[in-house]
Every structure is written in C-alpha cells, then in structure tokens.
Amino acid sequence: MSVTDPQPPAPDPRTDAAQDALHDRIAADSLTTRRDYLRIVATVSGGLAVGGIGVASGILHRHGDSDGAPEPKRIADRILPGDSLAFRYPGADDRAVAVRLEDGTLAGYSAVCTHLACAVLWRKDRGSEGELYCPCHEGVFNARTGEVTAGPPPRGLPKVLLVEEADGSVWAVGTARSGESAREGLCRELGPDRPDLAARLGCPGASAGGAGAGTGPVPERTGAGAGAGAAERSERT
C-alpha cells in the first residue's frame, strides 16, 4: 500500500473572476468621496429608478455642463505611455481621468459613468489599447474616443481637454460634453470670455476684438508627434 499526500483542489476560475470584480469595486469606491457617497445614498433612498432616469435624460448636472471657460489647471509633470492619472477638473467635485495610450495619444475624460454616476476606472490590460470601465453595471468605454462599447451607459464620457507643454507638463484646459468635439467644447466655453482665443480657433461668430489673457497654456500649444494633446486628437476621431 502506498501513501500519498492529499492534493489541493484545482482553483475555481469563477472565484478568480469574483475576486477581480471585487477588486474593481473596491478601486471604484476609493475614488468616491464622503460627499459622493451621501449623494449616492440619497439617490437610492429616493428611488434608484428616478435617479437613473434623471442622469440618463440629462436633468442632473453632468461633467462639462458649465458655460464659462474654466481656468487651465496643471495636473501632472508628465504622463508616460500606459499610465493614467485621477484628478479633479474643472471643479473640486468633478472626478476626471487622464490616460496616455501606448502610441502616445493623451486623452482625458470625466470619471463619472453616464449610467448611474459610478466611478470609471482605467484598465490598461484590457483589449489592444486598454479601456475605461465602470464596475457597478459593467459599462465599458473606448479609451481613445470615450464612446460606449459595452454595458448600459446611454452615451459616451464627456471629455476633459488636455494639452502638453514642451517641458512635458500636462494641463487641463476645458471640457466637452457627450457628443461634442473638442473644438465645439472649446468654442462654447471660450466664446463669451476669450473672444480673441475663440477667433484664433476659428469658432463661429467669434471676433478677435476681446480682451482677457488667461493664465496657463492655450490649446494651440500642444506637444508634437506622440505627445499631441487630446484637443487636437479628438478632432481626428
């Protein structure tokens, strides 16, 4: 008679999948502030269906809804290919994410899912270019365009327009609503406050007679080649 040690059971792939999902949920929760949490609780207690209809129909505030031109904000000294950065823009309550794709494309988006306002995460290892993912209801967005590729979100992510300076620093300079191009978003925000810059961008109805030099970089000063900002690249997608 031979005696052998008992062998451990083979790992259940479903367990690994569940652990991955839990990890995503925890990561999303870590991006949610106390104020965000209280808002979510209030939505649930008041009726999740009503809250969902409000977000989907555009009744509630969404990233990029402001009409004024936000101040440019330096968000990073440098973002390397494959990296991402969570930040707040244009306001302290506006969660956003910047990603640098492997080919050097720099893109910025609202990090609030357009379905029920859960946090959106960057997953570098998914697909050929990575993806933006909402773990609450399996929403997936294209990392290059922000458009919906899977799940229940009713529309793509609003854009946060990024430019890169010659020293490698990355600035957020404006926002574009879901469905707007980068140029349309910039023209909408800059028109009333920066008619000179709006005219340089060729915005409809803009004249170069206005005053007001803002602080920080202007959209034309994006980096060249692989470092070009999202404000330029969004026009080509």
Side-chain angles (χ1 to χ4, degrees), residues 112-126:
V112 179
C113 183
T114 56
H115 179 219
L116 290 176
C118 291
V120 172
L121 310 174
W122 166 243
R123 300 205 299 188
K124 177 182 177 180
D125 59 340
R126 296 302 179 102

Side-chain angles (χ1 to χ4, degrees), residues 63-64 157-161 174-178 180-182 185 188-189:
H63 217 119
L157 293 171
K159 298 179 180 70
V160 176
L161 310 179
T175 62
R177 297 168 180 164
S178 295
E180 273 188 331
S181 69
R188 172 177 51 80
E189 292 183 334

Side-chain angles (χ1 to χ4, degrees), residues 123-199:
R123 300 205 299 188
K124 177 182 177 180
D125 59 340
R126 296 302 179 102
S128 60
E129 296 189 311
E131 68 182 18
L132 295 159
Y133 169 70
C134 177
C136 292
H137 301 96
E138 303 295 323
V140 182
F141 303 87
N142 184 289
R144 187 174 292 273
T145 67
E147 295 304 312
V148 180
T149 59
R155 60 189 174 276
L157 293 171
K159 298 179 180 70
V160 176
L161 310 179
L162 305 178
V163 297
E164 184 175 40
E165 292 291 271
D167 63 0
S169 62
V170 179
W171 293 69
V173 299
T175 62
R177 297 168 180 164
S178 295
E180 273 188 331
S181 69
R183 182 172 178 272
E184 289 169 339
L186 285 171
C187 288
R188 172 177 51 80
E189 292 183 334
L190 294 172
D193 302 324
R194 295 290 307 278
D196 55 334
L197 183 53

